[in-house]
Amino acid sequence: MEVLSSRILIRPADLESSLRFYRDVLGLAVYREFGPPEHPGVVFFLGQGLLEVSGRSDIGPVGPVRIWLQVRDLRAEHERLAALGAVITREPRREFWGLDEMWIADPDGVPIVLVEVPADHPLRRDLR
């Protein structure tokens, strides 16, 4: 298989609430918007990937979907997101595998892991 493009798709219960969360709370940049004004779809930049928030689901999130986002400063994001009223499901902490992580949830309860790679972590070392 030759993959030319990819993205994560979210079909929220409340489209407007989810668009506000990803755009205004997380602060993701918009890649493109599509569809009619009464039912817009928005594709956000997600680091090296894309996240599409569009359509509607009456049954909420399905399956074991998680979104993993690496950030530069986890403590600063914790303060910013808490001030904006984001649902923080797990406070920032160092995991036994060495990454600093915090968990939040989007308006439909989709878990989002925010990760900071510490300066001394092996992921930051070039072993070539």
Side-chain angles (χ1 to χ4, degrees), residues 19-83:
L19 290 174
R20 273 193 309 277
F21 174 79
Y22 287 103
R23 181 188 58 236
D24 302 332
V25 176
L26 287 186
L28 299 181
V30 173
Y31 169 68
R32 80 189 264 284
E33 298 177 75
F34 62 93
E38 63 275 8
H39 298 290
V42 178
V43 180
F44 295 98
F45 284 105
L46 201 59
Q48 297 176 12
L50 298 170
L51 171 69
E52 177 182 318
V53 181
S54 63
R56 185 167 194 282
S57 171
D58 292 326
I59 58 174
V62 177
V65 173
R66 307 286 183 273
I67 299 174
W68 190 94
L69 303 175
Q70 183 179 349
V71 298
R72 291 188 191 282
D73 186 337
L74 187 62
R75 296 286 172 192
E77 287 303 321
H78 176 257
E79 290 176 20
R80 187 183 73 78
L81 291 168

Side-chain angles (χ1 to χ4, degrees), residues 99-114:
L99 298 177
D100 295 334
E101 294 188 4
M102 174 179 84
W103 288 62
I104 64 174
D106 85 351
D108 284 312
V110 173
I112 300 170
V113 185
L114 299 177

